[in-house]
Amino acid sequence: MALTYTPAGELGSPCPDFSLPSVDGQSYSLKDFSSARILVVGFICSHCPYVQAVEDRLIRLARSWNGQDAQFVGICSNDPSDYPEDAPAELKKRWLEKAYGFPYLIDESQATARAFGAVCTPDFFVYDSSRQIGR
């Protein structure tokens, strides 16, 4: 198994802007989360055993912060032709079954993943109220 490491984000780095469809048919952009004091962006997917290992804890963590100025957002950037479990319909099915409670976005072009510097799943990025990597 090859190990891939996401480069650490530099403190103060701004959150990349994005506009992506959600598994529920809505569309979200960075500005939709402007009222949250903390923004947690997680690059996740259905097929990855590492995501599966932390998925329930991630969902519980997001719920525990619900209403406390923190917003979680999941993004899947995988190609469903390579990973059929990561096709939009399958992502929606899992999102509903697990009752994620936060938006799950689809990055079909992988441009958003590249903008964030996400290279594997799970990859998490945490931003403060000014949408910079926390200081």
Side-chain angles (χ1 to χ4, degrees):
M1 171 173 57
L3 295 177
T4 303
Y5 296 96
T6 300
E10 189 172 327
L11 291 179
S13 296
C15 182
D17 199 7
F18 59 87
S19 181
L20 297 168
S22 174
V23 296
D24 66 356
Q26 295 187 55
S27 188
Y28 291 92
S29 64
L30 178 60
K31 69 180 179 212
D32 291 315
F33 308 111
S34 62
S35 65
R37 191 170 52 87
I38 299 166
L39 179 64
V40 179
V41 179
F43 287 84
I44 58 176
C45 64
S46 291
H47 87 275
C48 176
Y50 298 105
V51 173
Q52 293 169 11
V54 300
E55 183 177 43
D56 290 336
R57 287 177 280 175
L58 174 63
I59 293 166
R60 281 194 307 273
L61 180 62
R63 285 184 187 142
S64 74
W65 277 90
N66 191 19
Q68 297 184 36
D69 293 330
Q71 175 66 56
F72 286 65
V73 178
I75 300 176
C76 181
S77 297
N78 289 345
D79 184 341
S81 62
D82 292 334
Y83 303 102
E85 307 96 323
D86 296 337
E90 294 300 314
L91 296 175
K92 181 179 181 179
K93 180 179 171 185
R94 189 169 189 92
W95 179 74
L96 290 169
E97 286 173 354
K98 294 280 191 172
Y100 272 39
F102 54 85
Y104 196 2
L105 312 181
I106 302 165
D107 178 22
E108 185 178 345
S109 72
Q110 301 179 341
T112 299
R114 282 190 294 278
F116 275 82
V119 295
C120 59
T121 57
D123 262 350
F124 295 100
F125 301 85
V126 181
Y127 297 92
D128 63 16
S129 59
S130 60
R131 292 302 173 257
Q132 296 179 336
I133 291 181
R135 295 178 184 256

